Amino acid sequence: MSSPDRTGLASCLAAVGYVADGGLATALALMDMLRRPLLLEGEAGVGKTEVAKALAAVHGAELIRLQCHEGLDRADALYEWNYQRQLMAIKAREGADADAVEAHVFSERYLLERPLLAAIRREASPVLLIDEIDRADAEFEAFLLEVLSDFQVSVPELGTIAARSIPRVILTSNGTRELSDALRRRCLYHALDFPDVEREAAILRARLPGIDIALAQQIAEMIAAIRREDLVKRPGVAETLDWAAALMGLGVGRLDADREAVFDTLACIVKTREDRGRLPRAVIERLIGRVA
Amino acid sequence: MDGETLAIRRRLAGFLRTLRDNGFRIGLAESRDALRILAAPPYRRATTVKPALRALCCGSRVDWRAFDDLFDTFWTGRGVRTRVAVTRAGAQTSQRTMRSLAEAGQAGGLADAADGMADAAPHGRREGASRHENLAHTDFRHLADPAAMARAHDLAERLARTMRTRLSRRWQRHRRGRRPDLRATIRASLATGGLPLDLVQRRRRRPPLRLVVLVDASGSMSLYTSVFLRFVHGILEHFREAEAFLFHTRLVHVSAALREKDAARALDRLGLMVEGVGGGTRIGDALADFNRHHAARVINSRTCVMILSDGYDTGAPERLGAEMAALRRRCRRIVWLNPLLGWKDYQPVARGMAAALPHVDLFAAAHDLASLGALEPYLARL
């Protein structure tokens, strides 16, 4: 398996439409070298999940995603027996040799694979995305740490399942809960921020190939200005892309040429009532005037 | 191994030690990996090795912000003793300017002793009652001598501790589920020859309650803050998930300072708040700050926000009302503890208090230890 170095990786990421800065490319290259998971932290909308998707595309690997939530437990994350099928199988084989039935019922046919188990049983190493780890409980975090350090899972009825391949693991966190020191130490770390104007314009050009270069620049500057306003929910990169697509769909060539369209499409980027109130027409006009 | 490599290794060990001194979490495994990074050809240059070591050594945003300065100081500022670290500087200056909170609180208590004497009689020692009982019903205003103060502090802390254990035990015993647990049902059916007669139910284990405490440290509250802070210290130590903030004219996040094991030292570290005493309180602004910068991180659907304040607000009451409404939408319960409520004939007519009240779930007195203790059953029912 070839693992490209940081510059090679950055251009590979660009080829699949993800514009990464040098620090992130380094961190992704180190993941392969040191075999450590990568913890990405940053506000909602800075493109944490996209990193995993892009990495999977670069390596041509499968992306397995575990979405964390409150109350997530082993049965949702690792494996579960298919009890209904087991019960049916036992009923269907009533009278047969008890040992044979037991061996049959506890075979892999009746094992329901959940993301963590799936990730270590693949032939080619997949990208495992553990999304919003901060939403899971502290207990689950400890359990996850165990799986991530050994890459083996023990199922009492089957024995230990060792990893066929070591997945590349990316964890993301919004910082709604403080993560444990042990997990932070185990992982490489990258703090992801909103992209600067140049990088956001580059993202727009990469994702929306038809976009006018001047318009992309204007949109990037406008979004940067809106993020500096005092908002409850700052628009993320996904919102920028939506907005750019909407403006392109309306045939807007320059923001200052068609202010009406800009105002009408603000719904793409401003998503709470309070924020809408904080961006009245006058403010938008002023911002447009600045980027024009 | 040639001499150059050896020298680099030594420098690296020194760098990692500097990071450790600055609170980075770096163990042996990290040291080993750092050596591996340095040994790899792409990371021979300063421009490439910096982001690599940063990804390896940082564990949080705090580390992330401090790393660049530490790296530059260590590797480029030759011979600079890096123990005088960037992250420490802030803490030291604030400590120097701080007056001890504990002292401030007690000084206030002593000053109050004179007018406390006059109406101390009704709160005086009662025959037959234990000393604890006695103290439990003494208004914090009337705690004059340092010894009584210290006892009140201890009691406040113990109260917080028992609240924690009682609350957590109650969650575990309480188990009535809505979904059948198939694994356990099959296990139970062994007793009836494989017929699942008894369905075992399960339900999501309840995560422990999270408490966020906002303590008013303005001049009008100065007689109460030190006891409250001791109580909050106990809560922080014994609730697994709790956060504390102080506010007067602005909001200060004090969880880190209060996590200090020794209560007296913890209060010492809080001297920072003293600078706000005597000025007015801007509860609305403090809450706005909280909603904007901290709420997303510290509040989840099972969070109880506890505000300890007398509700005297020098800001606009409309602002306080709006921010209370915003806070109410986010958290599960808002408890407002007002020491004045323990006074006879007190009516919450202060404009700020009146604006906040519609959004408060529990409005209770907090003038003595008994009233703090009375909260526990309420918190258990959340």
Side-chain angles (χ1 to χ4, degrees), chain A residues 103-158:
Chain A
H104 176 75
V105 162
F106 284 115
S107 62
E108 298 216 359
R109 267 182 71 185
Y110 296 90
L111 196 65
L112 293 176
E113 228 174 38
R114 302 282 190 234
L116 285 182
L117 184 62
I120 66 165
R121 294 219 303 172
R122 293 288 184 268
E123 292 297 340
S125 81
V127 172
L128 172 63
L129 168 64
I130 301 175
D131 220 356
E132 304 188 333
I133 173 71
D134 49 331
R135 285 184 196 275
D137 316 316
E139 291 82 359
F140 182 77
E141 199 184 304
F143 159 72
L144 191 66
L145 205 62
E146 193 187 316
V147 175
L148 289 186
S149 57
D150 304 347
F151 286 110
Q152 62 176 28
V153 168
S154 90
V155 180
E157 296 86 351
L158 274 183

Side-chain angles (χ1 to χ4, degrees), chain A residues 222 229 277-290:
Chain A
M222 182 79 183
E229 292 293 311
R278 280 180 191 145
L279 289 176
R281 184 138 203 155
V283 174
I284 294 295
E285 294 274 0
R286 178 166 57 78
L287 295 180
I288 292 177
R290 212 181 291 162

